[in-house]
Amino acid sequence: MTHDPQLARLGLFDARVPRYTSYPTAPHFGSDIGPSDFARWIETIPQDSAVSLYIHVPFCRRLCWFCACRTQGTTSDEPVIAYVETLKAEIALLRTHLPRGVRLSRLHWGGGTPTLLSPDLMRGLADTIFDVVPLAEDGEFSVEIDPNEIDDARLDALAASGMNRASIGVQDFDPVIQKAIGREQSYQLTRDVAERIRARGVASLNADILYGLPFQTGPRISDSVQKLLTLSPDRVALYGYAHVPWMSRRQQMIPSDEMPTPEERLSLFETARQLFLWDGYVEVGIDHFAKPEDGMAKALKAGTLRRNFQGYTDDTAPTLIGLGASSISRFPQGFAQNASATAAHTKAIRAGQFSTHRGHVFTGEDTLRARIIEALMCDFFVSRDELLRDYDVTPAAVEALFQRAAREFGDMVQVSDEGFRIPDRARPLTRMIARAFDAYDSEKAKHSSAV
Ligand SMILES: C[S@@+](CC[C@H](N)C(=O)[O-])C[C@H]1O[C@@H](n2cnc3c(N)ncnc32)[C@H](O)[C@@H]1O
Ligand code: SF4
């Protein structure tokens, strides 16, 4: 990739462009989707099919300044215990609507910090889930782990419950950067947690790191990536730090004038990228790297890589059910989002109702545009034949969509008989090019991107 002034002109450095983990993006959901739609969509899941489940735990012991995730700090256990009770009631409610024989393709616990649950709470939650929807034979159970908030008893509970993929938050190993982003975590601690995870036979280890942090330089990110490589993660998410202090108040603690310039950001990404590639990792989409034998790298090769609310995935289940406050579900019919505030979510569930308060019903055009955007984010290529085969669209309409984007991005995109391609040198523009296919895009969307 080159540092091309044309990239800047075309909007490379606009941090507000969506990451397109869904289409339409969440700010475009409406309030016309409620609990009865959610319940009805669950009832239409085919018997004996596979679905995926996301469980959101919106609590943390520490509140890192850089973090833009939806979470709240708590020092006491009471709200966590009460929340797990609510989750169990939500799962019991799910049981009353779920068709027979449904299995889990993927179970993911995210947050927040799911590892702040006590071992008993972890075991109880996992048992309740698997009692209603067992994990399929080749299913994956993954958990986001804050290395500062885990111990042997909790790792034992997770491993005994079947966790086979662990995702650890690293961000950066440099002490100056860690201090500036309000997240202190030594290399020794992270390495120790990685070893203890592996010692329990957990098959796969993921790690999250960030580029574009305050005080980050080429030598510093090289050092952090090299340290991370000593842990030999199977998969790495190299996210661009989203500095959105107007949305995430904690980020106001971070010195904005120490942020790298947009050009430096690109160079930081490139430095980290080269190190992963030299170490034999496969580049996956805009911000992931995976060992060639990892499922994500294999999915990329097979053309089955997908994008969902957690980012890239090799999961092909058509339905993802999100439980817990603010979680979003995806059905073939549309999206449904739970109440964002823990109190509102709890109140609905305790009253025997799902807390769905927003969502979106797909139109035919939505599914076409969603596939184009997903294909660009995953493969940097959209096939004309695939669109004409799988969607109710004419060749002229596909051409018009491609040409509209081509007018905006000129030689940064290639339109051919095969389809629409983003060449290597334009990959840093992928989210911007995807936005050219977003019919809902507006000033509002540009100003509400979040992690
Ligand atoms: C929901 S957090 C959970 C991680 C876990 N609680 C921990 O601290 O290790 C998941 C990931 O989101 C990413 N993230 C959070 N805030 C971000 C931001 N402002 N920009 C980019 N990525 C961010 C971080 O890489 C983080 O590891
Ligand atoms: S990075 Fe993890 S521990 Fe820190 S605030 Fe975000 S979710 Fe909580």
Side-chain angles (χ1 to χ4, degrees):
M1 272 189 280
T2 56
H3 292 202
D4 191 328
Q6 219 183 335
L7 295 180
R9 187 175 57 72
L10 289 167
L12 167 66
F13 306 132
D14 186 349
R16 301 161 209 252
V17 181
R19 292 174 61 237
Y20 288 112
T21 53
S22 73
Y23 178 80
T25 55
H28 294 287
F29 293 176
S31 54
D32 50 337
I33 301 296
S36 56
D37 300 292
F38 183 64
R40 203 177 58 251
W41 289 347
I42 289 170
E43 285 161 10
T44 62
I45 293 171
Q47 275 186 20
D48 302 318
S49 68
V51 301
S52 295
L53 188 61
Y54 171 76
I55 304 279
H56 189 64
V57 179
F59 297 103
C60 294
R61 291 283 182 235
R62 56 171 172 179
L63 286 177
C64 316
W65 300 342
F66 77 94
C67 180
C69 297
R70 202 178 278 278
T71 186
Q72 61 201 71
T74 178
T75 47
S76 75
D77 287 333
E78 277 90 65
V80 180
I81 294 168
Y83 186 76
V84 171
E85 280 311 304
T86 304
L87 281 174
K88 288 182 178 175
E90 196 175 2
I91 294 158
L93 199 54
L94 176 68
R95 184 203 284 272
T96 64
H97 296 280
L98 202 64
R100 270 187 298 123
V102 174
R103 295 271 186 283
L104 283 181
S105 155
R106 298 284 188 278
L107 168 63
H108 184 75
W109 290 5
T113 305
T115 49
L116 58 56
L117 267 56
S118 68
D120 280 348
L121 288 179
M122 286 174 171
R123 274 188 290 267
L125 182 60
D127 288 351
T128 307
I129 294 168
F130 294 138
D131 188 41
V132 173
V133 244
L135 199 62
E137 217 165 280
D138 55 352
E140 254 181 40
F141 173 20
S142 51
V143 180
E144 287 173 17
I145 293 178
D146 175 357
N148 255 39
E149 193 52 48
I150 191 78
D151 54 24
D152 281 333
R154 286 180 280 181
L155 279 177
D156 285 341
L158 288 172
S161 295
M163 173 179 75
N164 50 17
R165 183 179 287 281
S167 184
I168 54 171
V170 174
Q171 324 313 343
D172 196 292
F173 286 117
D174 186 276
V176 172
I177 296 175
Q178 289 192 354
K179 213 172 170 53
I181 64 171
R183 162 100 179 191
E184 297 188 40
Q185 178 179 316
S186 71
Y187 167 66
Q188 285 71 20
L189 172 83
T190 309
R191 190 185 58 193
D192 182 51
V193 168
E195 282 168 2
R196 285 190 286 148
I197 290 170
R198 287 224 164 94
R200 282 161 177 82
V202 177
S204 187
L205 184 71
N206 297 6
D208 295 345
I209 61 165
L210 298 175
Y211 69 93
L213 292 170
F215 300 107
Q216 212 172 32
T217 58
R220 278 190 168 137
I221 199 166
S222 294
D223 188 56
S224 279
V225 171
Q226 277 160 5
K227 284 197 169 94
L228 181 63
L229 287 170
T230 65
L231 312 183
S232 193
D234 299 277
R235 230 179 246 184
V236 177
L238 171 63
Y239 294 127
Y241 167 54
H243 191 57
V244 286
W246 60 91
M247 283 175 62
S248 175
R249 289 189 46 214
R250 294 197 295 273
Q251 289 188 353
Q252 291 169 6
M253 307 285 283
I254 295 180
S256 292
D257 46 356
E258 299 296 347
M259 298 291 294
T261 64
E263 288 78 4
E264 286 165 349
R265 241 178 110 91
L266 186 57
S267 155
L268 289 165
F269 175 79
E270 189 56 23
T271 301
R273 172 180 178 265
Q274 283 302 338
L275 289 169
F276 288 121
L277 297 182
W278 283 334
D279 225 62
Y281 283 76
V282 174
E283 186 172 13
V284 179
I286 63 164
D287 54 14
H288 275 62
F289 296 85
K291 288 189 177 174
E293 59 277 16
D294 181 84
M296 199 174 263
K298 287 186 184 158
L300 175 71
K301 204 167 172 191
T304 53
L305 184 69
R306 294 287 176 263
R307 199 140 168 90
N308 69 10
F309 293 105
Q310 279 106 58
Y312 290 104
T313 179
D314 54 1
D315 181 23
T316 49
T319 296
L320 169 68
I321 298 173
L323 300 184
S326 80
S327 286
I328 303 177
S329 301
R330 186 198 190 284
F331 295 88
Q333 297 93 330
F335 296 122
Q337 182 168 24
N338 286 348
S340 300
T342 309
H345 174 70
T346 302
K347 194 172 164 207
I349 300 295
R350 296 281 160 94
Q353 273 220 324
F354 289 114
S355 81
T356 320
H357 78 314
R358 299 171 76 234
H360 181 86
V361 177
F362 296 137
T363 64
E365 186 180 333
D366 288 337
T367 55
L368 169 72
R369 287 178 183 270
R371 178 58 199 144
I372 293 175
I373 289 173
E374 181 182 56
L376 288 177
M377 297 293 292
C378 293
D379 305 319
F380 307 101
F381 173 71
V382 190
S383 154
R384 255 183 226 274
D385 286 350
E386 181 199 324
L387 297 182
L388 294 173
R389 183 192 66 216
D390 296 345
Y391 300 88
D392 184 16
V393 62
T394 63
V398 169
E399 183 62 18
L401 283 169
F402 288 176
Q403 288 305 332
R404 190 190 162 278
R407 275 196 300 281
E408 198 177 329
F409 288 95
D411 64 356
M412 288 287 167
V413 300
Q414 295 164 351
V415 181
S416 67
D417 289 349
E418 280 74 44
F420 183 101
R421 186 179 299 280
I422 301 177
D424 286 358
R425 74 188 177 99
R427 285 189 179 192
L429 289 172
T430 301
R431 290 181 307 141
M432 290 36 104
I433 296 169
R435 187 170 60 166
F437 294 94
D438 181 346
Y440 297 90
D441 181 55
S442 65
E443 283 308 301
K444 179 175 165 246
K446 285 179 207 162
H447 289 272
S448 33
S449 84
V451 179

